[in-house]
Amino acid sequence: MDITSAVHTLTESANTLFILIGAIMVLAMHAGFAFLEVGTVRHKNQVNALVKIMTDFGVSAVLYFFVGYYIAYGSHFMTGAAELTANNGYELVKFFFLMTFAAAIPAIVSGGIAERARFYPMLVASGLIVGLVYPFFEGLIWNGNYGFQNWLESQFGAPFHDFAGSDLMHPVGALITGGIAGALFVYLFEWAQARIERLDDVLGVWPLHGVCGVWGAIACGIFGQPGLGGLGGVSLGAQLAGSVAGVAVAFVGGLVVYGGIKQAVGLRLSDEEEFNGADLSIHRIGANAID
């Protein structure tokens, strides 16, 4: 093996390892979701919270493997093992990395409907979201599908940057972004709990992943500018447009999926089931053998 081939092989191995480490870290985040939800819901709903996180991940992995990944990137894994293991298995590791993000969507939703939702209808909804809705927007942003990113670049001079412009900011800009997001979350969570009677958001999913998520994307267009220490190549207009597009896809997709399932079979537990708790009502078991 000559030096060029050796360097090429080493580079491929390093890329695969880097993505794998990132995937493992995001996978570990799901354990964080589980512990957060279990520690927030009441005792009579703790088994349900854990089971939802685990089953949502399993369903997400299967649906994303067979459907979602193809919608987002136009490629699939229905080929021979020799092809799948090419380049040190980079494509499979890349799938694993992206799947852990996709599976985070139903995990987030799970916190928003904790203690209230039926199990199997929500499992079906999770499969539809991960298999269809999320990959559609993922493909728009990460794979340039339908020319959306090209349009943003022609209109605003830069494409939309995901990951809140992390994949761009100076550390001080990131600190300011996080500080504002933290303040927004605390204020909006307390305000919503006290003022909005019809909002039942036990874990504060709406202010955290909704409002703060949008703020992170917009902040990328501010603190990613060279004048504020950023790397540049970012536009506030593109960040605003991309954020609006993301909210629109999430709203319409959620309305169709959850609205359709609600009309078909219903989403919410009965008053009696809520009173008894999802653990006994659905799973016929409590969080402890002896209560």
Side-chain angles (χ1 to χ4, degrees):
M1 179 182 292
D2 58 30
I3 187 64
T4 303
S5 298
V7 170
H8 180 70
T9 301
L10 181 61
T11 301
E12 288 181 344
S13 301
N15 287 339
T16 302
L17 179 61
F18 179 77
I19 298 297
L20 179 60
I21 292 173
I24 292 172
M25 292 176 69
V26 181
L27 176 63
M29 184 174 68
H30 289 265
F33 284 142
F35 287 129
L36 173 64
E37 192 166 339
V38 168
T40 305
V41 300
R42 288 171 292 182
H43 183 265
K44 60 184 179 181
N45 295 297
Q46 289 180 329
V47 170
N48 179 249
L50 279 176
V51 172
K52 278 193 303 179
I53 292 292
M54 291 187 290
T55 53
D56 279 345
F57 188 88
V59 168
S60 297
V62 173
L63 266 295
Y64 192 71
F65 182 88
F66 286 105
V67 183
Y69 192 78
Y70 179 78
I71 291 176
Y73 301 100
S75 60
H76 57 80
F77 300 104
M78 298 298 103
T79 58
E83 184 176 341
L84 294 179
T85 55
N87 299 323
N88 298 290
Y90 176 80
E91 286 300 320
L92 282 176
V93 172
K94 176 186 174 184
F95 159 78
F96 177 36
F97 174 72
L98 295 170
M99 183 271 292
T100 57
F101 280 98
I105 306 301
I108 292 168
V109 174
S110 174
I113 48 85
E115 303 190 321
R116 302 290 182 257
R118 297 173 62 195
F119 183 72
Y120 290 106
M122 290 305 300
L123 202 58
V124 172
S126 296
L128 292 173
I129 292 294
V130 175
L132 300 174
V133 179
Y134 171 75
F136 170 74
F137 187 71
E138 179 186 14
L140 288 182
I141 302 305
W142 289 10
N143 199 47
N145 292 354
Y146 308 110
F148 180 66
Q149 288 283 45
N150 292 334
W151 179 80
L152 289 177
E153 192 164 5
S154 67
Q155 294 293 315
F156 303 105
F160 176 76
H161 290 270
D162 204 355
F163 287 125
S166 54
D167 292 311
L168 292 172
M169 294 186 193
H170 187 278
V172 175
L175 177 63
I176 295 172
T177 300
I180 293 175
L184 278 173
F185 169 71
V186 172
Y187 173 78
L188 289 175
F189 179 68
E190 293 179 347
W191 176 81
Q193 294 293 323
R195 300 294 182 86
I196 305 180
E197 294 182 0
R198 296 188 63 184
L199 181 65
D200 188 11
D201 187 0
V202 179
L203 271 72
V205 171
W206 168 72
L208 180 61
H209 296 281
V211 177
C212 292
V214 171
W215 156 244
I218 294 173
C220 170
I222 300 172
F223 297 106
Q225 301 291 343
L228 293 175
L231 293 178
V234 65
S235 164
L236 179 58
Q239 295 304 115
L240 285 169
S243 298
V244 170
V247 171
V249 170
F251 178 80
V252 174
L255 188 64
V256 171
V257 171
Y258 294 103
I261 293 177
K262 178 182 178 182
Q263 293 299 318
V265 296
L267 286 174
R268 186 157 184 166
L269 294 170
S270 66
D271 291 342
E272 182 180 356
E273 289 173 328
E274 284 190 28
F275 179 80
N276 293 330
D279 291 359
L280 294 179
S281 299
I282 298 175
H283 308 288
R284 303 291 190 265
I285 190 173
N288 301 104
I290 300 177
D291 200 356

